Amino acid sequence: MKSANKTQTLGTLLQQFFTHFLQEQRDVSQCTVASYRDTFRLLLGFAEKELGRHPAELALADLNAKLVLAFLDYLEKDRHNKARTRNSRLAGIRSFMHFVSLKEPQALAICEQVLAIPVKRYERPLIGYVSREEIKAILEAPDENTWSGQRDRVLFATMYNTGARVSELIRMRVSDLTISDTAVIRIHGKGRKLRSVPIWKSTARQLKQWLAVSSLSNDQALFPNRKGAQLTRTGITDRLMLATRQAATNCQSLIEQRVTPHIVRHSTAMHLLQSGVDITIIALWLGHESPATTHGYIEADLAMKENAMNSLTPSNQTCSRFKASDKLMKFLDTL
């Protein structure tokens, strides 16, 4: 009976965490719920193999720091997850432990040990992006004589214009688009944050033509599949990769490149930055929480760094280098 009480405690806490805490109290997005759900599916499955008990038989005390650390190692070594994925899984576990520490004070020691597990540091690669000529080749690659080609052309044009995430593109509805004297599209961003992004005239013309051809209703996805349902993340990525391969026949620099929706998003930011748009405006454009996130694009642009260097050091001036005297070198050699 004692084991049954423990089982009920863990099961009840998990149910309360997902239904009452995450969905009712915090009202988090469905994406967050799905991410945390997958984390605990993996964690409970790992605990079952390690402890030899079914998930329904596990106690709260079984989810201690030792087990969680072993689980994180399993993610990296056996599932070959990167540090970012490992940290994302840890975030879900820590959120649950924060909840448990408030609901079950007697479990505070276990919670504190798990909460003390640090996130793992990792190298942040430079942001990848493609040039304007490469983007132009991709935008013109889909066959405009087919329905899917017409959709892909306006989809990629909107993707590049707005710098939207692929999840934001999927959620776009016809009602989110306003085409009048000034064309604007409303984007449902991360954390349920709404933002409005201006549409360039060329993109607005394509969108007008697309709405005339597709005859979509206001509540339909702006870029549907052939059945009228919204495209999937994989569907958009596959269509973009197909367009990239087609564009590579005329643009040789695309042959070895793997262009994803996020690369297009980065390219939008880089091209805005290179055009002189203020970094705070770009942060608003992309829906960044802070302009500090947008500073990564400056790091990726070597041309901007070179211009900054040239503006500080006149091109006709050579920098003198320090030359140590023999006495100084002898002194250093004695250290």
Side-chain angles (χ1 to χ4, degrees):
M1 295 298 294
K2 187 176 182 181
S3 176
N5 290 335
K6 288 185 178 181
T7 301
Q8 183 181 9
T9 299
L10 177 60
T12 300
L13 286 171
L14 276 172
Q15 290 179 5
Q16 290 178 351
F17 172 68
F18 279 99
T19 57
H20 298 299
F21 181 67
L22 290 181
Q23 299 185 46
E24 294 182 8
Q25 296 180 18
R26 292 190 58 194
D27 195 22
V28 300
S29 69
Q30 190 57 41
C31 292
T32 301
V33 173
S35 175
Y36 287 6
R37 174 205 63 201
D38 294 342
T39 294
F40 278 93
R41 278 179 175 172
L42 291 169
L43 176 60
L44 295 177
F46 174 80
E48 180 180 8
K49 292 180 180 179
E50 289 292 304
L51 303 177
R53 297 199 298 275
H54 294 296
E57 300 172 342
L58 295 173
L60 179 62
D62 292 325
L63 304 185
N64 53 35
K66 180 180 179 181
L67 180 79
V68 173
L69 283 169
F71 169 66
L72 297 175
D73 288 339
Y74 157 76
L75 292 178
E76 291 189 276
K77 295 177 181 178
D78 292 11
R79 292 181 62 88
H80 306 291
N81 291 159
K82 301 296 184 182
R84 292 184 66 172
T85 303
R86 178 237 192 227
N87 291 341
S88 177
R89 300 301 185 198
L90 178 59
I93 297 170
R94 292 176 70 173
S95 181
F96 173 67
M97 288 301 176
H98 273 296
F99 168 77
V100 172
S101 66
L102 298 175
K103 295 287 292 186
E104 299 290 335
Q106 67 271 21
L108 191 59
I110 295 174
C111 296
E112 287 180 341
Q113 290 175 5
V114 174
L115 291 172
I117 298 174
V119 296
K120 194 166 189 176
R121 297 179 67 87
Y122 57 92
E123 291 186 1
R124 298 178 182 269
L126 287 176
I127 292 171
Y129 64 99
V130 293
S131 67
R132 298 190 186 195
E133 293 74 18
E134 291 167 336
I135 281 289
K136 184 175 183 295
I138 294 172
L139 297 183
E140 296 175 352
D143 185 0
E144 59 184 348
N145 295 317
T146 65
W147 183 89
S148 58
Q150 291 175 338
R151 181 206 57 202
D152 290 350
R153 280 200 170 206
V154 68
L155 167 63
F156 301 152
T158 305
M159 181 190 300
Y160 175 58
N161 185 154
T162 61
R165 303 175 179 91
V166 66
S167 59
E168 296 169 346
L169 286 164
I170 291 171
R171 289 197 292 266
M172 285 182 183
R173 296 289 180 268
V174 176
S175 57
D176 292 324
L177 180 64
T178 301
I179 300 180
S180 56
D181 295 337
T182 302
V184 174
I185 192 164
R186 182 176 55 187
I187 298 177
H188 301 262
K190 292 174 65 176
R192 300 181 182 177
K193 296 182 178 67
L194 292 176
R195 68 183 187 277
S196 294
V197 176
I199 299 296
W200 301 325
K201 291 183 179 180
S202 58
T203 310
R205 284 195 298 270
Q206 288 180 275
L207 284 166
K208 282 182 180 179
Q209 294 171 359
W210 169 242
L211 293 178
V213 170
S214 59
S215 302
L216 299 171
S217 60
N218 279 341
D219 60 340
Q220 276 190 278
L222 185 56
F223 309 112
N225 59 23
R226 286 192 173 275
K227 296 181 180 179
Q230 66 183 25
L231 285 169
T232 63
R233 180 186 297 268
T234 302
I236 292 178
T237 302
D238 289 345
R239 298 301 297 182
L240 180 59
M241 293 179 68
L242 174 62
T244 303
R245 289 196 298 270
Q246 294 170 338
T249 59
N250 297 320
C251 184
Q252 298 295 311
S253 58
L254 285 171
I255 292 178
E256 299 297 329
Q257 295 206 49
R258 183 178 183 273
V259 181
T260 65
H262 219 66
I263 293 294
V264 176
R265 173 175 164 85
H266 291 329
S267 302
T268 302
M270 288 299 301
H271 299 166
L272 288 171
L273 188 65
Q274 292 165 350
S275 298
V277 179
D278 188 85
I279 197 167
T280 56
I281 301 299
I282 299 175
L284 294 172
W285 195 293
L286 299 182
H288 283 165
E289 187 74 23
S290 167
T293 306
T294 321
H295 275 284
Y297 296 107
I298 297 179
E299 288 293 328
D301 194 341
L302 289 175
M304 292 187 68
K305 293 179 180 178
E306 290 175 356
N307 291 336
M309 180 182 66
N310 292 335
S311 66
L312 293 174
T313 305
S315 57
N316 60 349
Q317 179 178 337
T318 58
C319 297
S320 59
R321 293 186 177 275
F322 171 75
K323 292 183 180 180
S325 65
D326 291 340
K327 292 182 179 179
L328 179 57
M329 292 301 294
K330 290 179 180 179
F331 165 73
L332 292 175
D333 290 338
T334 62
L335 296 179

